[in-house]
Amino acid sequence: MAANQPATKQPYGPGMLMIFGLFLLALAAYCAYDLFGGAADEWRAAGKEWYVTLNWVIMILAILGAIYAWVLAAIRSKKGIGTPADDRGPAENRPKDA
C-alpha cells in the first residue's frame, strides 16, 4: 500500500459471518429451551411474564440475525470479499472485470 493512501477497513469474511450466525442460532436455541423446556411456566406462575416476552423477542431476532449473517456470508464468498484473495490493492489497480 502506498504511503499516501489511507488504510481501509476490511469487511468480515464469510467464515467469521458463519461463526457469528452459529452463535446467534445457539442463542435462539437457548431461548427456545427456556420457553419450551418448562422455565416459562415457572416464570408465568411467579408473575414474571416479562422474562417470557423477552425470550420470545430474543429468539426471533437471533434467528433472523443468523439468517442474515448466513446470506451475507454466501454473497461474500461468491464475490470473494473479505478473503485473502481480495487484498489486491486499490480499486484503480484492479482489472476492470473484477
Side-chain angles (χ1 to χ4, degrees):
M1 185 188 302
N4 59 354
Q5 295 175 349
T8 58
K9 184 176 180 182
Q10 294 294 321
Y12 291 115
M16 187 64 175
L17 287 169
M18 291 182 75
I19 291 170
F20 184 63
L22 285 174
F23 169 75
L24 288 173
L25 197 62
L27 178 64
Y30 182 75
C31 290
Y33 176 76
D34 279 347
L35 288 171
F36 304 116
D41 297 332
E42 294 174 14
W43 291 334
R44 284 188 182 103
K48 298 179 180 177
E49 186 68 32
W50 171 248
Y51 291 168
V52 177
T53 305
L54 188 63
N55 267 280
W56 274 106
V57 169
I58 291 172
M59 183 179 70
I60 291 169
L61 290 178
I63 290 171
L64 291 175
I67 292 170
Y68 176 74
W70 287 335
V71 167
L72 195 57
I75 291 170
R76 288 187 178 178
S77 68
K78 279 188 163 188
K79 291 184 177 180
I81 298 173
T83 60
D86 187 44
D87 190 18
R88 296 173 287 184
E92 58 268 7
N93 294 341
R94 295 182 189 171
K96 297 297 180 201
D97 61 342

